[in-house]
Amino acid sequence: MITVKARSVSEHDGCSESEQTACSETEQTARSLGEETGIALALIGRAGTVLRHAPDLVDPVISGAMGLDEAYTVARENKAKANSAEVQLNRLREEDPELANASSKAC
């Protein structure tokens, strides 16, 4: 978890929010990070999911107050909620109410 967090922070230093995608494209792959550190690819993937979808749980995992598996479960739930159709429609309503109303009427 510490390695993934540190890699994420160091890769994004100096990146504005609009540059995050470009910075993400230049990030080292999980596979090469695993080779460098000797950490299993599955653990790096889980840690990355927690970092992206449950960042509030990163420090408890690092401190040992919560296990990575438990944090990963919460992160997957957060990801599913964020991707749900209802959440996406609400996001669209905030960004473009007219388009959202047209979309909901079509359903």
Side-chain angles (χ1 to χ4, degrees), residues 25-76:
E25 292 174 0
T26 62
E27 281 186 37
Q28 188 175 33
T29 66
R31 185 177 311 276
S32 60
L33 181 59
E35 290 171 0
E36 280 183 23
T37 62
I39 299 170
L41 187 59
L43 291 177
I44 292 172
R46 286 176 178 237
T49 299
V50 171
L51 187 63
R52 284 187 303 278
H53 300 286
D56 56 313
L57 300 180
V58 170
D59 289 333
V61 170
I62 290 172
S63 72
M66 174 181 269
L68 179 58
D69 289 342
E70 184 180 356
Y72 177 69
T73 298
V74 172
R76 287 185 52 193

Side-chain angles (χ1 to χ4, degrees), residues 58-99:
V58 170
D59 289 333
V61 170
I62 290 172
S63 72
M66 174 181 269
L68 179 58
D69 289 342
E70 184 180 356
Y72 177 69
T73 298
V74 172
R76 287 185 52 193
E77 291 169 0
N78 291 349
K79 181 179 179 181
K81 289 175 189 173
N83 291 333
S84 75
E86 184 177 331
V87 170
Q88 290 178 4
L89 184 56
N90 287 337
R91 192 176 308 141
L92 181 59
R93 282 188 181 116
E94 291 174 11
E95 294 174 10
D96 191 341
E98 190 174 318
L99 181 59

